[in-house]
């Protein structure tokens, strides 16, 4: 990759971030608008986002993005300067800009130059919007504001000042000493406290700090409250507050102000200690963008180090058993220390890969807004746990399946206004999007208060589609019936209306979730609603696994899917419905002879065998294996392309002592063995 | 060694400016110190002197005009040339910048050559 490509890639990444921030901003704007409040800072932030995009687009010759940003900037400029009211129509146009940006960015990334009519139309609409804006009034010069302060106001800040003055608010001048090191946080705190009383309009460093490590800012603030109240909230040792007096009418003489013209040059003072730090601070930007592949590489190195750790442990053991106790103990200590550091390193790298789910949820919130308008249903989206963190790679893959599920919930779950009214439900349907961490998993729920799934109609449809024999149909348990919606070919198109179908591509959703190591479950009550639950691993990069042996092969089973391992007692096997089962503490556990499922060549079975109880979400299965080798952290590597079609395996992993283990894909094995119908059971069936 | 303080909140824009400046002065040794907002700039200023400050206008909290005003008031930096860069469509902001003592004003998007020339002019004038 040459430098230009790298810069372009960085541009795309930054643009993507800005567009996402912009979208979040609009959602916040919409909710403040709905609550009847007014947050000018949000409009200004949106303006700044678009403004930055415009600059970047210009830099990289992204003409369409530049044109769109330019028009959008005009509209936002009118909005923030109060020349145009913010209403639903304007918001709609702004929201469509987020989608237009996403499309632009996509075609930009693929190097396409095709015209995008959506964008052109939008540019046109923005132009019409902007031309309808009124003009702004004049700044009232009634206050004795320091001209030094007035001179540094940007046009936007000037507008805010004017608006506040027109509303009859008082103006205050705050002189605040900040520590340079902590100014960002301290100022944020101050802004939060000040927000209750009014608005801080500008921040001017005075250059009169009490020490080299501190800085004094001159803040201009507008507020409804009196001086005593403000001092009560904002007063502190480092804060001096005074009210800006109103000018007497007629007296227009300006108070003497500090000159804003540079004073005659004096000798340049070399800052104290300047030599010492010469060149020390190249840049203090505190974040870097990292390609996730580099983190994968780091993780692979850690994986290789875990192999070294294993070797070290064995060495220590051997030295000790050879009789050299002192050296053995020493080696043992090195091994433990190495192990501790390695765990820390692993944790630190994993942490870097984690991103909050909020990234995806924001996108979904915009989609809900859009879809509910298209289908004319009122939807209340309630999001919890958007700060739940998950591996970056998983987040990327989650967007499509979740979008699908939300779309289904709105299209088929939530009833129309009239139906909801007739059954006594509130006219706005609720979709809850909940995320939370549960042990080593992240759970995501999509829940609606719609019509629920008509199970009878679903079974009927599955039988008609040839997915299920009528005899099997009568034997299905309730969860199994609901599971039918995940079968390929069960679509709602031909039964739409006869049951509130969710079959639209749910098999695809399930496959996509499975690809990132997750499973999806569904619960539904007719007339009450439907809840889909996705269970996901927190990370894909490294997993703790149980190493087992079976038919002379070494296999790894991710610990996340293992609940326990027990000694196999052949005389306790019962045949239920033609399948082998075990009774474990009173609960029936289906038994799977893995070597048959995986079609391993026959080998001699040891006298004593084990059952590994695998479980994901509510599903449990006993896997019969020959030996338990132990627990180990492994890095899962994808199988070569010729092997990717082998079902039941998630990949392969090096175990250290030159052994390679195939890693079982517990999710897909559970699915295959426990599938409610004969579809997909070609291997497992018939051995029971 | 010529030292330049670059204040800009977009990482891409910082990268572009840095690249353009370095490309434009193969002989002159440049030390470009980057700040991503006004606060960082305030922290970095005492580590000066700088031969040139290049700053964006639109930044959160302390904007480019406020930074410029601070520089003009400071004993240590009042003579440092300041080059403002902005997409600011507002003539008022531009005029204000020049009134406050900005030495030059470049509107984004600008070409690498325009930036090199503007920076070169300021560096030579100060010399």
């Amino acid at each position: 990759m040459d430098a230009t490509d790298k810069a372009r890639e960085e541009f795309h990444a930054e643009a993507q971030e800005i567009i996402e921030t912009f979208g979040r901003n609009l959602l916040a704007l919409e909710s403040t608008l709905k609550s009847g409040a007014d947050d000018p800072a949000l409009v200004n932030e949106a303006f700044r986002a678009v403004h930055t995009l415009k600059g970047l687009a210009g830099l990289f010759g992204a003409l369409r993005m530049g044109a769109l940003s330019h028009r959008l900037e005009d509209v936002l400029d009118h909005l923030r300067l109060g020349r145009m009211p913010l209403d639903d129509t304007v918001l709609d146009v702004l929201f469509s800009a987020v989608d237009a940006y996403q499309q632009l960015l996509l075609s930009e990334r693929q190097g396409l130059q095709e015209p995008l009519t959506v964008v052109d139309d939008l540019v046109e609409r923005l132009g019409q919007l902007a031309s309808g804006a009124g003009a702004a009034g004049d700044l009232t010069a009634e206050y004795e504001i320091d001209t030094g302060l007035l001179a540094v106001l940007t046009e936007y800040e000037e507008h805010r000042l004017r608006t506040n003055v027109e509303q009859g608010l008082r103006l205050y001048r705050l002189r605040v000493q900040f520590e340079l090191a902590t100014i960002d946080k301290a100022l944020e705190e101050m802004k939060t406290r000040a927000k209750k009383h009014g608005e801080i309009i500008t921040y001017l460093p005075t250059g009169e700090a009490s020490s080299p490590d501190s800085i004094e800012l001159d803040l201009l603030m507008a507020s409804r409250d009196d001086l005593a109240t403000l001092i009560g909230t904002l007063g502190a040792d480092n804060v001096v507050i005074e009210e800006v007096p109103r000018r007497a009418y007629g007296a227009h003489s300006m108070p003497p102000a500090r000159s804003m013209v540079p004073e005659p040059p004096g000798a340049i003072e070399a800052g104290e200690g300047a030599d010492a730090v010469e060149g020390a601070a190249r840049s203090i930007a505190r974040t870097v963008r990292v390609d996730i592949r580099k983190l994968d590489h780091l993780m692979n190195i850690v994986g290789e180090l875990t192999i070294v750790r294993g070797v070290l442990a064995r060495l220590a053991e051997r030295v000790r058993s050879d009789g050299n106790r002192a050296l053995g103990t020493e080696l043992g200590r090195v091994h433990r220390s190495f192990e501790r550091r390695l765990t820390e390193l692993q944790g630190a790298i994993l942490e870097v890969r984690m991103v909050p789910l909020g990234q995806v949820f924001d996108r979904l919130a915009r989609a809900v807004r859009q879809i509910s308008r298209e289908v004319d249903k009122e939807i209340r989206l309630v999001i919890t746990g958007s700060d739940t963190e998950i591996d970056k790679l998983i987040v990327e893959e989650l967007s499509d399946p979740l979008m699908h599920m939300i779309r289904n919930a709105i299209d088929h779950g939530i009833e129309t206004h009239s139906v909801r009214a007739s059954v006594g439900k509130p006219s706005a349907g609720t979709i809850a999007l909940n995320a939370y961490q549960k042990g080593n998993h992240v759970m995501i729920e999509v829940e609606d208060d719609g019509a629920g799934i008509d199970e009878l109609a679903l079974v009927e449809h599955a039988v008609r589609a040839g997915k299920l024999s009528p005899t099997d149909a009568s034997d299905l348990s309730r969860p199994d019936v609901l599971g039918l919606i995940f079968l390929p070919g069960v679509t709602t198109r031909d039964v739409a209306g006869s049951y509130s179908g969710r079959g639209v591509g749910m098999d695809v959703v399930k496959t996509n979730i499975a690809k990132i190591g997750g499973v999806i479950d569904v619960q539904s009550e007719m007339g009450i609603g439907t809840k889909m639950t996705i269970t996901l691993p927190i990370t894909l990069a490294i997993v703790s696994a149980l190493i087992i042996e079976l038919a002379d092969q070494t296999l790894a089973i991710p610990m996340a899917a293992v609940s326990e391992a027990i000694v196999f007692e052949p005389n306790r096997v019962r045949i239920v419905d033609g399948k082998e089962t075990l009774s474990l503490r009173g609960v029936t556990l289906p038994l799977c002879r893995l070597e048959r499922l995986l079609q391993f060549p026959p080998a001699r079975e040891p006298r004593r065998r084990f059952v590994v109880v695998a479980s994901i979400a509510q599903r449990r299965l006993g896997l019969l294996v020959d030996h338990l080798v132990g627990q180990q952290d492994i890095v899962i590597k994808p199988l070569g392309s010729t092997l990717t079609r082998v079902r039941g395996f998630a990949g392969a992993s090096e175990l250290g002592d030159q052994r390679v283990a195939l890693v079982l894909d517990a999710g897909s094995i559970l699915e295959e063995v426990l599938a409610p119908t004969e579809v997909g059971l070609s291997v497992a069936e018939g051995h029971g | 060694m010529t030292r330049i303080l670059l204040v800009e909140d977009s990482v891409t824009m910082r990268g572009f400016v840095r690249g353009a400046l370095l490309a434009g002065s193969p002989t002159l040794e440049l030390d470009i110190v980057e700040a991503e907002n006004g606060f960082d700039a305030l922290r970095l200023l005492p580590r000066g002197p700088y031969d040139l400050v290049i700053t964006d206008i639109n930044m959160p909290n302390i904007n480019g005009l406020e930074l410029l005003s601070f520089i003009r008031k400071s004993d240590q930096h009042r003579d440092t040339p300041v080059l403002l860069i902005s997409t600011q469509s507002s003539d008022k902001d531009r005029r204000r910048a020049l009134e406050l003592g900005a030495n030059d004003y470049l509107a984004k998007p600008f070409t690498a050559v325009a930036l090199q020339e503007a920076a070169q002019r300021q560096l030579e004038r100060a010399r």
Side-chain angles (χ1 to χ4, degrees):
Chain A
M1 194 192 300
D2 69 22
T4 335
D5 285 347
K6 201 169 172 200
R8 194 163 278 279
E9 204 167 79
E10 202 159 75
F11 158 53
H12 293 154
E14 190 176 7
Q16 179 71 40
E17 257 171 38
I18 295 173
I19 293 164
E20 274 165 19
T21 312
F22 177 56
R24 244 193 324 273
N25 215 275
L26 292 181
L27 286 171
L29 256 180
E30 187 183 37
S31 69
T32 50
L33 195 67
K34 269 190 185 147
S35 65
D38 177 29
D39 192 348
L42 283 176
V43 184
N44 194 40
E45 257 172 54
F47 172 83
R48 277 184 13 81
V50 171
H51 181 76
T52 308
L53 265 183
K54 177 175 138 185
L56 294 181
L59 199 57
F60 285 89
L63 297 180
R64 270 164 204 284
M65 193 181 288
L68 175 60
S69 307
H70 185 71
R71 287 295 173 83
L72 201 53
E73 189 186 18
D74 283 349
V75 169
L76 286 165
D77 200 29
H78 288 321
L79 287 172
R80 72 187 187 129
L81 297 181
R83 295 189 213 123
M84 184 199 273
L86 180 63
D87 55 26
D88 271 346
T89 329
V90 178
L91 259 180
D92 278 349
V93 178
L94 295 180
F95 270 109
S96 51
V98 178
D99 298 328
Y101 270 133
Q102 301 280 19
Q103 286 192 28
L104 273 175
L105 201 57
L106 197 68
S107 70
E108 178 76 19
R109 274 196 173 130
Q110 294 164 346
L112 301 177
Q113 292 295 328
E114 296 166 26
L116 289 164
T117 43
V118 195
V119 176
D120 297 341
D121 291 351
L122 184 61
V123 168
E124 177 89 356
R125 266 159 78 202
L126 285 167
Q128 287 162 1
L129 266 185
S131 62
D138 279 317
L139 168 64
T140 48
E142 283 180 34
Y143 291 85
E144 295 184 8
I145 306 167
D146 188 316
T147 46
L149 264 180
L150 280 181
V152 293
L153 296 184
T154 61
E155 197 178 359
Y156 166 69
E157 290 165 343
E158 196 178 304
H159 162 72
R160 291 310 310 157
L161 173 64
R162 192 164 53 225
T163 309
N164 282 304
V165 167
E166 278 165 7
Q167 288 172 356
L169 269 60
R170 302 177 196 213
L171 294 181
Y172 296 93
R173 181 172 174 181
L174 285 74
R175 288 195 158 229
V176 193
Q177 297 271 344
F178 288 103
E179 292 298 315
L180 254 182
T182 55
I183 184 168
D184 314 56
K185 220 175 134 216
L187 186 65
E188 275 316 310
E189 280 168 17
M190 180 135 195
K191 275 158 104 173
T192 314
R193 266 183 290 146
K195 211 165 180 176
K196 287 193 284 283
H197 300 281
E199 177 181 354
I200 298 179
I201 294 164
T202 188
Y203 318 82
L204 175 66
T206 63
E208 291 170 21
S210 57
S211 80
D213 297 332
S214 65
I215 181 133
E216 188 183 70
L217 291 192
D218 223 346
L219 311 190
L220 186 62
M221 177 174 173
S223 171
R224 249 173 217 98
D225 298 318
D226 60 20
L227 186 59
T229 315
L230 283 191
I231 289 176
T233 318
L234 301 172
D237 290 346
N238 59 336
V239 185
V240 179
I241 309 180
E242 56 190 44
E243 186 164 354
V244 179
R246 260 175 193 257
R247 237 181 261 289
Y249 272 104
H252 277 292
S253 60
M254 298 289 252
R258 268 198 312 276
S259 165
M260 30 182 212
V261 181
E263 284 153 34
I268 295 178
E269 258 179 68
E272 217 182 340
D275 293 337
V277 288
E278 175 77 32
R282 207 70 4 148
S283 163
I284 55 171
R286 275 167 303 264
T287 54
V288 287
R289 231 182 278 278
V290 179
D291 189 322
I292 192 121
R293 281 168 296 190
K294 289 187 184 161
L295 293 180
D296 281 341
H297 180 58
L298 279 182
M299 205 37 123
N300 276 330
I301 297 176
V302 168
E304 265 132 42
L305 286 178
T306 61
I307 295 171
V308 175
R309 181 188 64 189
V311 173
L312 205 54
R314 275 197 299 280
L315 267 182
E317 197 45 51
R318 213 168 76 201
V319 170
R320 217 172 297 158
S321 60
D322 283 353
N324 194 338
R325 292 197 54 141
L327 186 57
T329 314
E330 185 77 359
L331 262 178
R333 201 175 302 138
V334 171
H335 165 247
R336 276 192 303 281
S337 155
F338 183 65
E339 185 169 39
R340 224 171 17 246
R341 296 276 169 269
L342 195 58
T343 311
E344 279 174 32
L345 180 61
Q346 218 173 71
I349 298 176
L350 284 183
E351 210 174 297
V352 175
R353 299 172 59 101
M354 294 295 179
V355 293
L357 275 168
Q359 288 188 355
V360 185
F361 288 0
D362 289 341
R363 240 173 283 164
L364 294 174
R366 288 202 303 275
V368 166
R369 191 180 182 279
Q370 171 105 32
I371 299 169
S372 61
R373 286 185 175 224
E374 276 170 21
V375 300
D376 190 30
K377 288 179 184 173
E378 200 183 327
I379 309 287
R380 206 167 60 93
L381 180 68
V382 184
I383 295 179
T384 61
S386 55
D387 52 355
T388 310
E389 294 198 322
I390 196 163
D391 195 291
K392 172 80 175 161
L393 279 183
I394 299 182
V395 161
E396 300 285 313
E397 299 301 322
L398 260 179
S399 183
D400 285 350
L402 280 175
M403 198 70 91
H404 223 110
M405 290 160 71
I406 296 253
R407 172 109 224 177
N408 272 341
I410 300 176
D411 279 349
H412 309 295
I414 305 286
E415 310 89 332
T416 57
H417 288 287
S418 52
V419 173
R420 288 186 73 87
S422 70
V423 295
K425 285 184 181 179
S427 74
T430 300
I431 295 181
L433 193 56
N434 306 319
Y436 54 94
Q437 192 176 334
K438 192 173 165 191
N440 271 330
H441 288 100
V442 165
M443 319 288 290
I444 301 176
E445 301 168 349
V446 178
E447 191 173 4
D448 67 63
D449 68 346
I453 296 174
D454 184 339
E455 292 167 31
L456 283 180
L458 182 59
V459 170
E460 216 170 89
H461 173 67
V463 171
R464 221 171 335 117
K467 302 288 166 190
L468 193 65
S469 72
T471 30
D472 285 342
S474 56
D475 290 343
L476 288 183
S477 67
R478 268 201 81 201
D480 288 347
V481 169
L482 288 175
L484 290 174
I485 63 167
F486 297 116
L487 287 182
V490 178
T491 73
T492 50
R493 207 158 296 153
D494 39 342
V495 286
S498 68
Y499 74 96
S500 63
R502 284 157 181 281
V504 194
M506 282 308 289
D507 62 316
V508 178
V509 169
K510 186 180 172 182
T511 312
N512 287 344
I513 299 279
K515 271 190 208 149
I516 44 178
V519 292
I520 179 165
D521 284 297
V522 57
Q523 289 166 277
S524 183
E525 287 293 336
M526 277 281 277
I528 296 180
T530 303
K531 177 161 137 185
M532 303 257 178
T533 309
I534 301 177
T535 309
L536 288 166
I538 285 185
T539 180
L540 296 175
I542 198 156
V543 294
S544 175
L546 178 68
I547 312 297
I548 57 125
E549 279 174 6
L550 175 67
D552 300 327
Q553 313 242 18
T554 307
L555 298 174
I557 311 174
M559 280 306 284
V562 173
S563 60
E564 62 184 307
I566 52 176
V567 175
F568 177 53
E569 298 169 73
N571 53 357
R572 296 185 56 184
V573 174
R574 300 277 173 274
I575 310 292
V576 177
D577 292 342
K579 293 177 187 171
E580 285 182 302
T581 63
L582 277 177
S583 174
L584 183 61
R585 290 185 292 272
V587 180
T588 306
L589 180 74
L591 189 66
C592 167
R593 293 188 182 263
L594 258 185
E595 69 273 27
R596 295 182 191 163
L597 180 68
L598 302 173
Q599 296 175 317
F600 282 174
R604 220 176 52 184
E605 287 178 12
R607 220 155 39 83
R608 202 164 72 131
R609 304 183 76 196
F610 297 87
V611 176
V612 174
V613 181
S615 72
I616 295 182
Q618 304 302 319
R619 272 159 271 195
R620 277 154 43 98
L621 179 66
L623 303 172
L624 194 52
V625 306
D626 289 351
H627 300 287
L628 302 177
V629 179
Q631 197 178 327
Q632 189 172 331
D633 284 342
I634 57 167
V635 176
I636 302 180
K637 296 185 175 164
L639 297 169
S641 55
T642 50
L643 284 173
T644 45
R645 283 161 184 274
V646 181
R647 295 186 62 179
F649 294 110
S653 182
E654 277 175 67
L655 296 182
D657 39 13
Q658 258 91 59
R659 278 183 311 164
V660 171
L662 286 169
V663 183
L664 288 184
D665 178 357
S668 77
I669 289 178
L670 259 80
E671 288 301 331
E672 283 218 21
V673 179
L674 302 178
T677 72
E678 287 166 26
V679 179
L681 273 183
S682 48
V683 190
E685 196 70 70
H687 292 291
Chain B
M1 176 71 91
T2 303
R3 297 191 80 202
I4 298 179
L5 176 62
L6 170 60
V7 193
E8 160 70 59
D9 54 347
S10 158
V11 61
T12 313
M13 193 52 87
R14 282 204 303 275
F16 170 74
V17 172
R18 169 184 284 274
L21 290 175
L22 290 176
S25 65
T27 50
L28 199 62
E29 259 195 284
L30 284 188
D31 180 14
I32 303 170
V33 181
E34 293 179 21
E36 63 177 351
N37 56 45
F39 293 144
D40 278 348
L42 291 181
R43 282 188 270 259
L44 284 171
L45 274 171
R47 303 189 191 170
Y50 297 95
D51 299 290
L52 175 62
V53 175
I54 301 179
T55 177
D56 188 18
I57 288 190
N58 259 282
M59 295 182 294
N61 294 328
I62 293 186
N63 67 40
L65 296 180
E66 285 159 345
L67 184 66
L68 169 62
S69 151
F70 175 78
I71 289 173
R72 288 295 169 250
K73 277 185 290 194
S74 122
D75 292 337
Q76 189 189 350
H77 303 288
R78 70 161 66 96
D79 296 323
T80 308
V82 177
L83 172 57
L84 282 167
I85 49 177
S86 176
T87 345
Q88 205 53 265
S89 36
S90 156
D91 281 342
K92 214 180 243 176
D93 284 350
R94 180 192 183 117
R95 206 175 53 235
R96 233 161 235 181
L98 298 176
E99 275 171 12
L100 281 169
N103 298 73
D104 203 351
Y105 180 103
L106 264 187
K108 293 183 207 165
F110 43 77
T111 62
V113 175
L115 174 71
Q116 289 156 3
E117 285 173 359
Q120 207 54 46
R121 258 198 313 274
Q122 294 313 321
L123 288 172
E124 273 163 21
R125 189 175 302 169
R127 204 158 280 136

